[in-house]
Each structure stands twice: as C-alpha cells, then as structure tokens.
Amino acid sequence: MSEQTIALVTGANKGIGYEIAAGLGALGWRIGVGARDQQRRDTAVEKLRAAGTDAFGVPLDVADDASVAAAAELIRDRVGGLDVLVNNAAITGDMPQTPTTVDPATVRGVVETNVIGVIRVTNAMLPMLRGSASPRIVNMSSSVGSLTLHTTPGIDMGSLPTAYLASKTFLNAVTVQYAKELSDTGILINSGCPGYTATDLNGFQGVRTPHQGAAIAIHLATLPDDGPTGGFFNDGGTVPW
C-alpha cells in the first residue's frame, strides 16, 4: 500500500455518506465511494474529484454477497489495501412500523441491510484492514437505538419506526462484539450517531445538515492509535447504550 490513507464509505453517493467521503477526502485521503446506483455513484465521484478529492467508485450492494466480494476485490486490485471502513449505508423500510403493525418482511429487509450488510462488508474488508498501520471501522448508528434513552423517565424520543430502531440496537451490539474479538489487532471499531440530520432517509425532516451529521464519522475515522474502541459516540461525547 501507498502512504496515502485509503477509506471506503458505503452509501456514499448522497447525504451523510457523501459528506463523510468529502470530509475524509479533504484530509488528502483516497476515497472509495460505495453505492448501488451507478449514475448516482458516478455523479458523486465526479463532484468529489471536482472538489479535489482523490475518489473512485465502488459498485456495492451491502445486501448481496457477490457484490460485496467484488467490491473487496476491486479495492484490493485498484489501490492495494484499505485503512478505514465507514459502514454508512442504511434503509428505514416500509411504513408503518409500530410493533403491532410492522410487516415481518420489513424487519427482515431492514436488518439485512443495516446489520447483516455491515457484517458482510466488514468481514470482506477485514483482511485488508488487518494489513493497515492504523485501521479504523466506523458503524453509523443512531441514538434511537439506545435502550437506555428509551427507558429513562422524562425522555421522549417520539414516534419511531420499530424495524429501523431495532436494527440500530442490533448494530450497536454487533459493534461491541467486534471490538472484543479484535481487541488485540489495533483495529478500532465504534458506533457513531450523526444526530437528527435532514436526509431522504427521514424525508428531510432533520434539524442538522448532512455536513454536521458527518462530523462524528470523520472524528471516529481519524482516532489516534490509543483512541477508544467498542464505544457509542455523538458530537457531544458518549451515547448511553
């Protein structure tokens, strides 16, 4: 590998993912723009390059084994390795999603992308990450997955989609288990919450911009070697589990 830091950001063609790619690219990193849609992926790469980022497209459907395997092979062949993985791709699933009305197929689909997709991509990229001097994995989660916040008297998190909420709780649990298994490897893996960010995921109802939402991922992707692992963070610090 070259001395240039190489990162892959999934779901990087728009919203928070794009801003993560832009923010890491501004550091002089080479960025793999992971996305399913070719047109949106190509457009994002062109826009990033126009802004000075060394970006390249990575065809990637996190819910498809063959697509993920091909993405790992592309990165290995094109740039020779990987230093940072940001698992950003996610879906909300069909509505409504109250526990009594949600279609089990919706839950299955959301978990397939938001949790199993993260496992699939992470495991495919791990051989390259193990070869990095300072490997980092960032799982984009959400405070809506915090069981502590949901069960604390006086905290009202509003009406939330059950499948999406549960997928983020599940993702946080997976993050902790990865951190335990990889504790002696130098790989730091953490969950990050972008806050209530206006994206197409929530119908642009959030109060934060995608640029603001990307900040926590950029922070966790650039942690020093003695930084935390197995944690859950937002811009304000630690988020309770």
Side-chain angles (χ1 to χ4, degrees), residues 121-207:
V121 173
T122 299
N123 290 350
M125 303 301 163
L126 264 177
M128 289 185 287
L129 290 167
R130 290 180 185 275
S132 170
S134 297
R136 306 286 179 265
I137 302 172
V138 181
N139 292 335
M140 291 303 285
S141 185
S142 172
S143 60
V144 302
S146 168
L147 297 179
T148 298
L149 292 178
H150 280 290
T151 56
T152 298
I155 295 180
D156 180 9
M157 302 190 74
S159 177
L160 297 165
T162 296
Y164 178 76
L165 179 157
S167 77
K168 293 305 182 180
T169 307
F170 193 169
L171 178 60
N172 286 343
V174 168
T175 299
V176 170
Q177 293 306 309
Y178 268 112
K180 287 178 177 291
E181 182 178 353
L182 300 174
S183 62
D184 62 349
T185 67
I187 299 175
L188 304 184
I189 177 168
N190 293 285
S191 289
C193 172
Y196 191 30
T197 302
T199 68
D200 60 358
L201 197 73
N202 58 30
F204 299 96
Q205 298 178 43
V207 297

Side-chain angles (χ1 to χ4, degrees), residues 70-132:
E73 184 176 0
L74 183 153
I75 293 170
R76 187 164 44 247
D77 291 346
R78 180 159 185 172
V79 296
L82 189 67
D83 300 290
V84 173
L85 170 63
V86 181
N87 287 305
N88 168 74
I91 61 173
T92 55
D94 296 334
M95 302 297 174
Q97 281 188 23
T98 61
T100 58
T101 62
V102 67
D103 186 334
T106 295
V107 179
R108 189 176 297 112
V110 171
V111 170
E112 180 66 46
T113 294
N114 297 4
V115 183
I116 299 174
V118 170
I119 295 171
R120 183 180 287 115
V121 173
T122 299
N123 290 350
M125 303 301 163
L126 264 177
M128 289 185 287
L129 290 167
R130 290 180 185 275
S132 170

Side-chain angles (χ1 to χ4, degrees), residues 5-99:
T5 300
I6 300 166
L8 170 65
V9 182
T10 68
N13 59 299
K14 59 184 177 179
I16 295 172
Y18 176 85
E19 293 297 337
I20 294 170
L24 296 177
L27 301 176
W29 293 15
R30 193 169 192 183
I31 308 298
V33 177
R36 292 179 298 178
D37 187 285
Q38 180 179 349
Q39 183 175 355
R40 289 179 175 177
R41 185 177 64 246
D42 290 347
T43 298
V45 169
E46 291 173 6
K47 186 177 177 182
L48 287 165
R49 287 177 177 171
T53 291
D54 185 358
F56 63 99
V58 180
L60 179 58
D61 180 351
V62 303
D64 183 84
D65 288 339
S67 175
V68 172
E73 184 176 0
L74 183 153
I75 293 170
R76 187 164 44 247
D77 291 346
R78 180 159 185 172
V79 296
L82 189 67
D83 300 290
V84 173
L85 170 63
V86 181
N87 287 305
N88 168 74
I91 61 173
T92 55
D94 296 334
M95 302 297 174
Q97 281 188 23
T98 61

